[in-house]
């Protein structure tokens, strides 16, 4: 087999035919497969009687394994429940048998502020203290502590396991290759798909929720560990060898300290992924803010949902700001002989406040936890606002929603459902061959063919339809904003700050305004996905345009081009590979939202996952999750190959 067969046609070799021949091949494939499907129904829809019962096999397999391994899984649950119970006792349960209350809320609020001051000074201290105070003053303290207890227990565990896997990978290339493939699948699989297998093996409750959270949050830490160790400068490694370090000393005293910034970035990602998953884990019995928010959404209690959503968001922002500040923190320096209480003043302050709060709580119960009559709520006010919107504005919103749905979304959906399966798979395979050769061409054939044979073709295409609609809108909105930001440095700071904030919000939050304004519909699903997925289009467009080499821009100016000509004929073509990567990330984030938007009604793969949870249909939920992951993997490989090809064409790689 020739090299051209394996790697596809060379773009630079024949630039003239490189655009004509692929276009003709795509058009010919679409016309032939669509025409054949009119005469052979099997090409339109795979016969039901020919489906492979993979779903049943997976469900039966997990049921058998769950029953067989029940003593082991229950033992693991019991072991993990003990330290988790200790964290819960400190934060909100106390120890009733010994008549020990939990830490007073004032101590935790003060401790949060003190920790913020230790990390980054008074500004972060005041912000963190205010956010913690919000949880108490609005009557959400117990639920917030339930959520935080899972986070505080899961994050160190995920960091430790991820660190170990990352170190192992850097020492063994075969392990690294295998783990990278597993991590690709794990990170492309939506949050909710983790819940089904965990429920079968470990049941419902806090520990299963923690295990699902652990599985989802672990890959970023492992990958950041691999990246950090791999990027340690070679001269630092050589200096360690010359100093006589053993392999263990080189790792712990040279490589890991040198990779500290990347490791802290991994910690930040673990924290954010953990908090996002803890909310979703409420579907398997995890108590806390996520459970409250889910109930409020299901009951359309928008006011309460906003209160709870703001609480989750504040926790996420506090943890995000703290971990980011840790990456920039410079360790304090003390003169030799400095007293212990001066070197550890923040610890002394926290212990003093905690001791005083515990003593005061014995006399004043208000110090332990705020009574309900001393808390506030703006939920009823928001409910009144929502009712006012429904009464006065929905008459104007509904026609717009219905017009977009009837004239844009429904025809688009029907077109995707009409497409014959050979057209879809064949087009993607042809694109894979053209961009990356035979290996990339086989990827959509194998992955999408598996989903078709397993009986998930219709929800798969509905998912593609929603993600396509979201991606188109994200590009139409995000790319112009990114272009504008690249032209206005002051505006860019505001835009990037908004992007940071939008990425900090847990995905659940985006459902609240959508339900409030648009109720439940395909348009609601796309808008909820849009708010979450537009950020990468903005970021990567801005990044690509600001990285255009200055000599190239100066040459364009010297050629007499206008600003518009420079943008369209010089800057955007050079930034196009970066913009493609932004589109790739937009697709990934839209896919991550698919399972979340199932909570407000849909018929896609996300809904398959959601329906599988109550019935413990593990095969249905797991295969639907894999289907979403397969879409993401195919999009990632094709767009990545296209971006690399464009860089080669432009001489950038």
């Amino acid at each position: 087999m020739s090299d051209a067969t394996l790697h596809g046609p060379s773009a630079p070799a024949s630039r003239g035919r490189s655009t004509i021949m692929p276009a003709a091949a795509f058009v010919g494939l679409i016309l032939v497969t669509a025409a054949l499907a009119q005469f052979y129904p099997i090409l339109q829809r795979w016969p039901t009687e020919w489906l492979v019962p993979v779903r049943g096999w997976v469900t039966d397999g997990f049921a058998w394994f769950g029953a067989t391994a029940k003593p082991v899984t229950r033992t693991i649950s019991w072991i993990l429940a003990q330290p988790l119970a200790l964290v819960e006792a400190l934060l909100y349960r106390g120890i009733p048998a010994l008549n020990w209350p939990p830490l007073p809320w004032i101590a935790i609020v003060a401790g949060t502020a003190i920790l913020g001051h230790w990390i980054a000074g008074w500004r972060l201290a005041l912000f963190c203290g205010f956010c913690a105070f919000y949880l108490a003053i609005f009557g959400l303290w117990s639920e917030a502590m339930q959520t935080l207890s899972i986070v505080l227990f899961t994050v160190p565990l995920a960091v430790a396991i991820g660190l170990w896997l990352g170190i192992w990978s850097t020492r063994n290339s075969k392990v690294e290759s295998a783990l990278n493939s597993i991590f690709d699948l794990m990170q492309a699989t939506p949050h909710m798909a983790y819940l089904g297998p965990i429920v079968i093996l470990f049941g419902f409750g806090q520990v299963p929720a923690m295990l699902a959270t652990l599985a989802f949050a672990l890959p970023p830490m492992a990958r950041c560990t691999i990246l950090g160790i791999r990027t340690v400068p070679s001269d630092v490694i050589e200096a360690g060898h010359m100093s006589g370090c053993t392999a263990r000393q080189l790792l712990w005293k040279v490589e890991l300290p040198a990779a500290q910034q990347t490791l802290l970035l991994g910690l930040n990602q673990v924290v954010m992924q953990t908090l996002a998953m803890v909310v979703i884990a409420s579907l398997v019995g995890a108590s806390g803010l996520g459970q409250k928010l889910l109930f409020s959404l299901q009951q359309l209690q928008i006011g309460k949902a906003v209160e709870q959503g703001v609480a989750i968001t504040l926790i996420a922002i506090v943890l995000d700001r703290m971990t980011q500040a840790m990456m920039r923190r410079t360790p304090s320096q003390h003169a030799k002989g400095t007293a212990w209480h001066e070197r550890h003043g923040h610890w002394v302050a926290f212990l003093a406040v905690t001791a005083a709060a515990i003593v005061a709580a014995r006399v004043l119960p208000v110090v332990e936890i705020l009574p309900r009559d001393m808390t506030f709520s703006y939920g009823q006010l928001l409910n009144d606002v929502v009712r006012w919107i429904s009464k006065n504005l929905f008459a104007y919103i509904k026609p717009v929603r219905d017009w977009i749905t009837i004239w844009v979304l429904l025809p688009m959906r029907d077109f995707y459902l009409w497409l014959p399966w050979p057209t879809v798979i064949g087009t993607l395979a042809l694109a894979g061959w053209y961009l990356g050769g035979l290996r990339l061409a086989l990827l959509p054939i194998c992955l999408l063919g598996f989903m078709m044979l397993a009986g998930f073709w219709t929800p798969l295409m509905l998912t593609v339809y929603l993600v396509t609609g979201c991606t188109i809108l994200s590009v139409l909105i995000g790319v112009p904003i990114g272009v504008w930001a690249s032209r206005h440095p002051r505006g860019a700071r505001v835009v990037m700050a908004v992007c940071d904030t939008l990425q900090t919000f847990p995905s659940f939050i985006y459902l609240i305004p959508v339900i409030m304004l648009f109720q439940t519909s395909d348009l609601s699903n796309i808008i909820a996905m849009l708010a979450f997925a537009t950020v990468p289009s903005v970021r990567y467009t801005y990044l690509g345009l600001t990285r255009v080499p200055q000599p190239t821009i100066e040459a364009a100016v010297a050629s007499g081009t206008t600003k518009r000509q420079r943008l369209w004929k010089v800057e955007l073509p050079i930034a196009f590979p970066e913009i493609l990567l932004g589109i790739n990330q937009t697709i990934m984030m839209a896919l991550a939202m698919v399972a979340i938007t199932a909570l407000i009604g849909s018929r896609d793969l996300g809904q398959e996952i959601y329906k599988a949870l109550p019935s413990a249909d593990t095969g249905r939920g797991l295969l639907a999750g894999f289907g979403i992951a397969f879409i993401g993997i195919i999009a990632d490989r094709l767009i990545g190959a296209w971006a690399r090809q464009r860089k080669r064409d432009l001489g950038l790689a």
Side-chain angles (χ1 to χ4, degrees):
M1 186 175 291
S2 68
D3 187 67
T5 303
L6 286 173
H7 300 287
S10 175
S14 53
R15 196 68 194 140
R17 68 182 179 85
S18 64
T19 56
I20 299 174
M21 292 194 63
F26 281 117
V27 172
L29 175 66
I30 293 170
L31 292 177
V32 169
T33 52
L36 289 175
Q38 305 305 311
F39 299 99
Y40 301 98
I42 190 176
L43 299 180
Q44 190 71 44
R45 287 292 175 267
W46 192 257
T48 305
E49 59 272 15
W50 289 8
L51 295 177
V52 180
V54 182
R55 168 181 161 180
W57 296 343
V58 173
T59 300
D60 294 342
F62 267 96
W64 173 83
F65 183 76
T68 304
K70 191 172 182 179
V72 176
T73 57
R74 293 301 184 266
T75 300
I76 294 173
S77 294
W78 183 87
I79 293 172
L80 293 175
Q82 307 314 307
L84 179 60
L86 178 60
V87 177
E88 292 175 343
L90 286 173
L91 293 181
Y92 73 96
R93 287 190 188 278
I95 305 178
L98 300 176
N99 197 27
W100 286 356
L103 287 175
W105 69 272
I106 289 180
I108 296 177
V109 170
T112 305
I114 291 169
L115 179 59
H117 184 271
W118 176 73
I119 295 173
W122 282 109
R123 182 176 297 181
L124 184 61
L126 292 173
F127 175 75
C128 294
F130 168 78
C131 292
F133 183 69
Y134 173 94
L135 303 177
I137 203 67
F138 285 99
L140 298 169
W141 188 259
S142 295
E143 292 82 3
M145 293 303 102
Q146 291 171 30
T147 297
L148 192 61
S149 63
I150 296 182
V151 174
L152 293 180
F153 179 65
T154 305
V155 167
L157 198 58
V159 168
I161 297 175
L163 185 68
W164 174 73
L165 289 175
I167 293 171
W168 187 22
S169 297
T170 60
R171 270 46 181 175
N172 190 316
S173 59
K174 291 183 179 179
V175 171
E176 182 178 3
S177 178
L179 285 178
N180 277 331
S181 298
I182 294 171
F183 290 156
D184 282 343
L185 184 61
M186 289 176 68
Q187 291 189 294
T189 303
H191 311 54
M192 210 178 292
Y194 287 83
L195 303 181
I198 294 294
V199 167
I200 294 296
L201 297 176
F202 296 94
F204 288 83
Q206 298 290 87
V207 171
M210 185 272 295
L211 289 171
T213 303
L214 175 66
F216 187 73
L218 190 151
M221 187 65 209
R223 286 194 148 156
C224 284
T225 302
I226 296 171
L227 178 64
I229 293 176
R230 294 282 190 217
T231 54
V232 173
S234 57
D235 54 342
V236 175
I237 303 293
E238 291 172 5
H241 284 300
M242 293 176 64
S243 301
C245 291
T246 64
R248 184 183 296 274
Q249 289 172 330
L250 186 69
L251 172 66
W252 291 102
K253 297 187 176 182
V254 177
E255 291 178 293
L256 292 182
Q260 181 180 7
Q261 294 298 311
T262 309
L263 297 179
L264 287 173
L265 176 62
L267 172 63
N268 175 265
Q269 292 300 304
V270 168
V271 169
M272 301 312 294
Q273 298 280 35
T274 298
L275 189 59
M277 189 65 185
V278 161
V279 176
I280 295 168
S282 61
L283 294 170
V284 294
S287 55
L289 288 172
Q291 189 180 61
K292 292 286 186 181
L293 176 57
L294 179 61
F295 179 79
S296 298
L297 288 174
Q298 290 173 336
Q299 300 296 317
L300 293 179
Q301 297 175 354
I302 303 301
K304 289 185 177 180
V306 170
E307 282 187 346
Q308 295 146 5
V310 169
I312 295 170
T313 301
L314 290 179
I315 293 174
I317 292 174
V318 166
L319 295 176
D320 179 60
R321 295 295 183 270
M322 281 185 171
T323 50
Q324 286 196 31
M326 282 291 293
M327 288 186 272
R328 301 186 295 268
R329 182 176 181 271
T330 303
S332 302
Q333 301 294 328
H334 297 280
K336 190 175 181 180
T338 304
W340 184 91
H341 69 276
E342 294 180 3
R343 287 184 287 113
H344 302 282
H346 291 89
W347 266 113
V348 172
F350 173 67
L351 293 174
V353 170
T354 302
I358 291 173
V359 172
R362 296 290 184 179
V363 182
L364 300 171
V366 69
V367 175
E368 182 179 326
I369 187 168
L370 276 179
R372 181 66 61 180
D373 57 1
M374 293 184 66
T375 60
F376 299 91
S377 174
Y378 52 85
Q380 187 57 48
L381 175 62
L382 287 177
N383 284 334
D384 294 339
V385 172
V386 171
R387 279 195 290 268
W388 185 89
I389 291 174
S390 299
K391 182 179 178 180
N392 297 280
L393 298 183
F394 191 68
Y396 303 99
I397 296 173
K398 185 176 183 296
V400 176
R401 184 199 69 179
D402 293 345
W403 187 90
I404 295 174
T405 301
I406 293 171
W407 295 103
V408 179
L409 296 181
L410 292 183
M412 185 178 173
R413 184 198 67 186
D414 294 341
F415 172 73
Y416 273 86
L417 293 177
W418 168 83
L419 282 173
W421 63 264
T423 304
V424 178
I425 297 177
T427 302
L428 293 173
L430 183 60
W433 179 82
Y434 176 67
L435 294 171
L438 179 61
R439 188 173 298 173
L440 187 54
L442 290 174
L443 185 69
I445 294 174
C446 296
L447 298 186
L448 298 186
F450 172 79
M451 294 303 296
M452 182 188 68
L453 293 175
F456 285 85
W457 186 257
T458 296
L460 180 79
M461 294 309 296
L462 288 171
T463 303
V464 174
Y465 141 70
L466 289 175
V467 172
T468 302
C470 173
T471 303
I472 292 172
L473 288 175
S474 293
V475 171
L476 292 176
I477 296 170
V479 171
I481 293 175
V483 171
W484 180 84
S486 70
R487 298 293 189 268
H488 302 83
R490 289 185 179 178
R493 288 194 290 270
V494 176
V495 169
M496 293 302 114
V498 172
C499 288
D500 287 341
T501 304
L502 289 174
Q503 286 194 311
T504 304
F505 290 167
S507 49
F508 260 101
I509 305 305
Y510 295 99
L511 302 182
I512 298 172
V514 168
I515 295 176
M516 188 188 311
L517 296 175
F518 296 95
Q519 297 184 356
T520 57
S521 64
D522 283 359
L523 181 61
S524 302
N525 294 338
I526 290 176
I527 291 175
M529 296 162 65
L530 181 68
F532 189 66
T534 303
V535 171
S537 292
V538 177
R539 282 189 181 280
Y540 280 83
T541 300
Y542 171 77
L543 184 64
L545 290 173
T546 53
R547 285 183 174 179
V548 174
Q550 191 62 31
T552 303
I553 296 177
E554 292 172 358
V557 172
S559 301
T561 57
T562 64
K563 289 184 178 181
R564 185 183 298 273
Q565 289 172 329
R566 283 200 303 275
L567 175 64
W568 287 101
K569 296 187 176 182
V570 178
E571 295 175 88
L572 283 177
I574 293 176
F576 188 64
E578 296 281 357
I579 295 172
L580 280 177
L581 294 177
I583 295 173
N584 182 22
Q585 290 302 305
T586 290
I587 293 172
M588 295 301 171
M589 297 184 78
L591 286 168
M593 278 294 292
V594 163
I596 306 302
T597 57
L599 297 172
I600 58 173
S602 64
R603 292 183 295 162
D604 53 16
L605 290 170
Q607 190 65 222
E608 294 293 312
I609 299 173
Y610 186 56
K611 289 180 178 178
L613 285 175
S615 58
D617 191 348
T618 313
R620 183 181 186 181
L622 200 58
L623 291 179
F626 284 163
I628 295 174
F630 291 164
I631 296 171
I633 290 170
I634 293 169
D636 177 66
R637 298 297 187 270
L638 292 178
I639 294 175
W642 190 9
R644 288 190 296 272
Q645 187 182 88
R646 287 295 300 156
K647 285 184 177 180
R648 289 194 299 269
D649 293 346
L650 294 168
L652 301 175

